[in-house]
Amino acid sequence: DGGITQSPKYLFRKEGQNVTLSCEQNLNHDAMYWYRQDPGQGLRLIYYSQIVNDFQKGDIAEGYSVSREKKESFPLTVTSAQKNPTAFYLCASRNGGRHNEQFFGPGTRLTVL
Amino acid sequence: RKEVEQDPGPFNVPEGATVAFNCTYSNSASQSFFWYRQDCRKEPKLLMSVYSSGNEDGRFTAQLNRASQYISLLIRDSKLSDSATYLCVASQTGANNLFFGTGTRLTVIP
């Protein structure tokens, strides 16, 4: 099955700990994205990557880091510097072309205890 | 001002009803528009893309009014399974950023 997978589905973290969220896609998409969703707010862009070994900050990159060593994988690390990390994290990919449809993974719900 | 604004609802409608959602966008350079559907605690799923004045897919019709900078989604003959949050999204063509509205919550009542 082609698609985007994220793991884990639920994650609990103690304050002060870094944690890495996985995102994998087998759609052969070049571009990948990380968003966070909070109650009552729209999705906000954290980081994106258009090609391997390249990535750009989105609107709320502070306290996060990413890597793009392989086309299929775009892991997100939530560092201890992120002040309000509890959120629903969504990974997406785009198939290129003129339009900009993005397709989402199932998400990881992170809770900081 | 937010890039994309939606009425958060909730909209509670009986089965079989027709319901319409409106969404406004602030960036006149926006060229691509989408409606995504999001079920509770799930990821958004693409419902429709809107590239020109609008398009129709079964019971769903999306319309775009560039002069007034709004997009609408019309759902005819509502089903219980249509209950979800509908996200309005705008983007400049080829750009990396999608701008999401906060969503409109729809509940279809038996």
Side-chain angles (χ1 to χ4, degrees), chain A residues 52-72:
Chain A
V52 174
N53 292 322
D54 183 66
F55 48 82
Q56 306 294 330
K57 292 182 178 180
D59 301 318
I60 55 165
E62 186 175 350
Y64 299 98
S65 65
V66 292
S67 62
R68 188 84 187 277
E69 296 177 3
K70 298 186 300 181
K71 188 175 186 177
E72 302 79 19

Side-chain angles (χ1 to χ4, degrees), chain A residues 37 45 98 100-102 105, chain B residues 36 38 43 51 91 93 95 97:
Chain A
Q37 187 176 34
L45 183 64
R98 189 168 71 91
N100 202 12
E101 291 112 337
Q102 293 183 13
Chain B
Y36 281 78
Q38 187 173 25
E43 75 274 24
Y51 303 128
S91 173
T93 299
N97 263 28

Side-chain angles (χ1 to χ4, degrees), chain A residues 9-10 31 33 35 37 40-43 45 48 50 59 88 90 94 98-107 109, chain B residues 2 31-32 34 36 38 40-46 49 51 87 91-102:
Chain A
K9 188 173 182 179
Y10 298 97
Y33 306 81
Y35 294 89
Q37 187 176 34
Q41 297 195 42
L43 275 70
L45 183 64
Y48 64 95
Q50 297 186 74
D59 301 318
F88 188 38
L90 289 157
R94 178 167 70 98
R98 189 168 71 91
H99 303 295
N100 202 12
E101 291 112 337
Q102 293 183 13
F103 299 92
F104 288 85
R109 199 164 293 275
Chain B
K2 291 182 180 179
Q31 295 291 324
S32 300
F34 311 95
Y36 281 78
Q38 187 173 25
C40 188
R41 304 180 76 82
K42 300 283 189 181
E43 75 274 24
K45 293 186 178 177
L46 183 65
S49 303
Y51 303 128
L87 305 176
S91 173
Q92 295 181 42
T93 299
N96 284 288
N97 263 28
L98 294 183
F99 293 100
F100 286 81
T102 55

Side-chain angles (χ1 to χ4, degrees), chain A:
Chain A
D1 281 340
I4 305 171
T5 57
Q6 290 185 243
S7 61
K9 188 173 182 179
Y10 298 97
L11 189 57
F12 297 89
R13 188 195 92 176
K14 292 183 181 179
E15 277 193 41
Q17 288 181 334
N18 293 355
V19 64
T20 297
L21 281 57
S22 168
C23 177
E24 304 279 332
Q25 55 98 0
N26 60 5
L27 301 168
N28 200 34
H29 288 176
D30 286 315
M32 297 184 73
Y33 306 81
W34 275 105
Y35 294 89
R36 95 174 248 167
Q37 187 176 34
D38 296 279
Q41 297 195 42
L43 275 70
R44 293 183 290 166
L45 183 64
I46 304 172
Y47 266 99
Y48 64 95
S49 168
Q50 297 186 74
I51 55 172
V52 174
N53 292 322
D54 183 66
F55 48 82
Q56 306 294 330
K57 292 182 178 180
D59 301 318
I60 55 165
E62 186 175 350
Y64 299 98
S65 65
V66 292
S67 62
R68 188 84 187 277
E69 296 177 3
K70 298 186 300 181
K71 188 175 186 177
E72 302 79 19
S73 179
F74 191 39
L76 173 75
T77 297
V78 185
T79 75
S80 56
Q82 169 49 234
K83 299 303 179 191
N84 297 295
T86 295
F88 188 38
Y89 289 88
L90 289 157
C91 179
S93 67
R94 178 167 70 98
N95 60 4
R98 189 168 71 91
H99 303 295
N100 202 12
E101 291 112 337
Q102 293 183 13
F103 299 92
F104 288 85
T108 292
R109 199 164 293 275
L110 173 64
T111 302
V112 175
L113 304 172

Side-chain angles (χ1 to χ4, degrees), chain B residues 17-68:
Chain B
T18 296
V19 61
F21 309 137
N22 287 331
C23 162
T24 59
Y25 62 95
S26 61
N27 189 340
S28 59
S30 297
Q31 295 291 324
S32 300
F33 305 92
F34 311 95
W35 284 99
Y36 281 78
R37 172 202 168 116
Q38 187 173 25
D39 292 290
C40 188
R41 304 180 76 82
K42 300 283 189 181
E43 75 274 24
K45 293 186 178 177
L46 183 65
L47 178 66
M48 297 183 77
S49 303
V50 189
Y51 303 128
S52 54
S53 61
N55 50 294
E56 184 174 322
D57 182 4
R59 298 183 293 109
F60 298 85
T61 300
Q63 290 195 316
L64 169 63
N65 184 318
R66 291 188 188 275
S68 302

